[in-house]
Each structure stands twice: as structure tokens, then as C-alpha cells.
Amino acid sequence: MYTANFALAVVGALFVPVSAALIKERIPADRLGRFNARHEMGTQAGMLLSATVGGLSVQSLGAVPLLVFNAGTFVVSALCVVATGQGPGRPATAPGTALPTPAAAAAGRPLGFWRLILLYAQGSVVITVFNALLPTAVIGELHLEAGTFGIVDALGCLGFLAATGAYRIVARRHPDLRIAVAGFLLCAVGLVLQSEFGIAGYLIGVPLGAFVFGQARIASRTMLMASADEATVGRVFGLANGGGLAATIGAMFLVATVTDHSSTRYGFAVLAAVSLVATVSAGLLLRTPASGRWHAPAPQYGPGTAAAAAGTAWRSSSGASAEDRRDPVCPGGALPRCDEVPNARLEET
């Protein structure tokens, strides 16, 4: 069993960066936000549903049929990946030319990958530790039945589903950075408050927390994916996944120690504090001084186009004409329209 779990963990660690690269390669830039919303909703809702369905299946059918069914889901996933077909061709790379690392790519960008990774990865820590604390609180401390825990879990799933639709509306009026920071902060507040009101607090707080957490998770994932090109996106998400797993070990040990010496109420508070520190740190580092908005990096163009863009002056004085007051990301006619820039959120300074 240990060997099987280790193999599954290795496969999962490899699948996360590869699937992110597959998405970046296949999904057009103007659909990236919508796709990430659906992807994150499916992932988080599946995690919540699996606990409920798995628990009921073990009680009624036993462990072996459930493990066989779980193995079948991997086969279906493999068939879905094969069904995507061949991807678009990539430009040939000169022999011996190494692909840029995330750190090297981040050096030439207005925002480093590490800050976005911090914002995204802390969400993995929150959801993993929360999934360990919730059954301990509902079943272990409140002494309620597994069915009650299943209801709380199902309501959390509904919260994630609602977050998908809400993100598409909220993202039209607010930048992703604001959505991510506000969502994670509200989730931290909910972690503290929900444990103060017994089962009623969990029945109300879990779906509300999933609602704001889901939107923050989608926004942070979209920012991280938009900041990397196809050559580095796999390694960027690999770093985010590895960092999140490593941080989860420390956070789980800390929260478990606090919970063992007190109660889950304080465990949720410690988890909220960890999320609060990571969110505030990443949010302050990512906030631009001029406008407070996160700006997606400009796409990479050929040498001629890049030179034309670099040679175009950006003037914002009151005497500048409408012709001259063009977008700093798309100043020249040789570049695509600004609404075609991947996930860019632009405003005049």
C-alpha cells in the first residue's frame, strides 16, 4: 500500500506541470481565464466529492471495489489525454540551445514568478490542511455522523461550482490580483469564524469559504499561467506544486500539533494565519506602485517587431495627441490589438 501511494504521488507530481503546459499549448489566450475557471472548479469539486462518494462506497461495497473503480478513472484520464490529438507545432530550436529556466525568464519580466508562485501555492496548503481538519472537527469533536460530514462536504462542492460562474462575472470589473488577494483574505476570516458556531457554522461557512476561495484560486492560477510562456510553464507549475507540497508538510505538522494540544478551533486559526501571511506578502510584492493592478507580461514577438515596439515612445502628458497616447503594451501598428494580448489588464497611468 505504501508503494502504491508513493507511485500515485509521483504520478500526481508529474501530471500537474505537464497538464499546465498542455493547457497553455492548446487553449487560446482569450479563453485562458474561462478554461482555468472550469478546470479549477472540476479539480476542487472532484476533491470534495471524492471524499463523500468514497466514504459511502467503502461502507456499502468495501475497499477493493472502490480501488478498482479508482484505477478505472486513471484509464479514462489517459484516454482523454490521447483524445486531445497532436498539438500545434513549435518553432525549431537551435541544437544545443537550452530552454530558459523560470528564474531566468522572470528576470526580464516586470514581476517575478516566485511571487505568483507564493500566491498560488498557498492555496494548495489551505485546501489540503482544511480537508484534514474538517472531518476531525465534525466527526471527532462534534461527535456527528458521517452523513452530516457528507452534507458539509457537498455544500462546499456547491460553493466551488458557484465560484466558477461568479469569477467570470467578477473578472470583468476587477483585476485578477484583487480577486485573488480579497478571496484568500476572506477565506482566512471564514476559517476563524466558522468553528465558533458549531455545526451551523460549518454548514454556512464551508460553502461561503469555498465560494471566495474558488474565485481566488482561479485568479491566481490564471495570473501564474499567463506570466509564463510555453517553454517554461511546465516548470513554473512544477515549482508551485512542489513548493505547495513542501509547505503543506510544515503547515500540517504545525496545525496538527496545535490541534492535539487544544482543539480544531485553534487549528483553523493557525491555518488562517499561515494563509494570511502568504497572501499579504504576495499581494504587497505584486502590487504595482502606479495603479495597484497586476499587468500580464507582453507576449514575445520576433526581433523586428520587438525593435519597433522598443523604439516607440510612450507619452502621457496633457499635450499629447490621441495618436501618440497609445497603449504601452501595444504602441505600434505592427503588434496585435490590445484585446488580443493574453490576459492583459491595462489602464493608463
Side-chain angles (χ1 to χ4, degrees), residues 117 120-126 128 238-251:
I117 287 175
Y120 175 77
Q122 64 94 20
S124 300
V125 177
V126 171
T128 304
L239 288 171
N241 185 53
L245 291 174
T248 299
I249 296 174

Side-chain angles (χ1 to χ4, degrees), residues 92-100:
T93 305
T97 302
L99 293 176

Side-chain angles (χ1 to χ4, degrees), residues 206-264:
V206 170
L208 289 179
F211 179 73
V212 295
F213 178 88
Q215 295 181 66
R217 183 75 170 174
I218 295 168
S220 61
R221 176 186 174 86
T222 301
M223 286 192 296
L224 184 59
M225 184 169 290
S227 69
D229 53 26
E230 291 185 14
T232 58
V233 65
R235 275 172 279 184
V236 167
F237 273 85
L239 288 171
N241 185 53
L245 291 174
T248 299
I249 296 174
M252 188 75 78
F253 178 79
L254 175 63
V255 171
T257 301
V258 172
T259 302
D260 286 343
H261 290 82
S262 54
S263 66
T264 55

Side-chain angles (χ1 to χ4, degrees), residues 5-315:
N5 283 334
F6 178 79
L8 289 175
V10 172
V11 171
L14 293 173
F15 183 78
V16 169
V18 172
S19 62
L22 182 67
I23 292 171
K24 181 77 172 184
E25 179 184 79
R26 305 301 179 91
I27 304 301
D30 58 345
R31 294 174 51 197
L32 195 58
R34 179 184 300 179
F35 186 91
N36 277 328
R38 295 175 177 175
H39 179 276
E40 198 64 35
M41 176 271 295
T43 301
Q44 302 301 334
M47 290 175 62
L48 289 173
L49 280 175
S50 64
T52 304
V53 175
L56 295 175
S57 299
V58 167
Q59 290 182 2
S60 58
L61 302 176
V64 174
L66 183 62
L67 291 175
V68 173
F69 174 78
N70 192 34
T73 63
F74 283 87
V75 176
V76 174
S77 297
L79 294 176
C80 289
V81 173
V82 173
T84 60
Q86 295 294 326
R90 294 191 179 192
T93 305
T97 302
L99 293 176
T101 63
R109 297 178 183 269
L111 298 175
F113 285 133
W114 304 110
R115 303 165 189 175
L116 293 171
I117 287 175
L118 174 62
L119 188 64
Y120 175 77
Q122 64 94 20
S124 300
V125 177
V126 171
I127 194 66
T128 304
V129 179
F130 176 81
N131 284 338
L133 279 176
L134 186 60
T136 304
V138 175
I139 300 176
E141 291 186 354
L142 298 180
H143 305 291
L144 299 173
E145 300 294 333
T148 305
F149 170 71
I151 293 175
V152 175
D153 230 3
L155 290 175
C157 179
L158 293 177
F160 275 114
L161 293 175
T164 305
Y167 170 78
R168 296 175 60 182
I169 298 174
V170 174
R172 296 172 185 172
R173 300 186 178 185
H174 301 281
D176 282 329
L177 178 59
R178 184 180 301 167
I179 296 173
V181 172
F184 285 136
L185 291 180
L186 289 174
C187 181
V189 174
L191 287 174
V192 176
L193 294 180
Q194 67 183 6
S195 58
E196 301 292 330
F197 302 97
I199 187 59
Y202 294 111
L203 290 173
I204 298 174
V206 170
L208 289 179
F211 179 73
V212 295
F213 178 88
Q215 295 181 66
R217 183 75 170 174
I218 295 168
S220 61
R221 176 186 174 86
T222 301
M223 286 192 296
L224 184 59
M225 184 169 290
S227 69
D229 53 26
E230 291 185 14
T232 58
V233 65
R235 275 172 279 184
V236 167
F237 273 85
L239 288 171
N241 185 53
L245 291 174
T248 299
I249 296 174
M252 188 75 78
F253 178 79
L254 175 63
V255 171
T257 301
V258 172
T259 302
D260 286 343
H261 290 82
S262 54
S263 66
T264 55
R265 174 187 304 177
Y266 297 98
F268 282 120
V270 172
L271 178 60
V274 171
S275 177
L276 182 66
V277 171
T279 300
V280 172
S281 300
L284 291 177
L285 290 173
L286 289 171
R287 187 175 178 85
T288 58
S291 63
R293 286 177 179 261
W294 177 84
H295 296 264
Q300 303 295 322
Y301 302 101
T305 309
T312 304
W314 166 247
R315 292 178 291 172

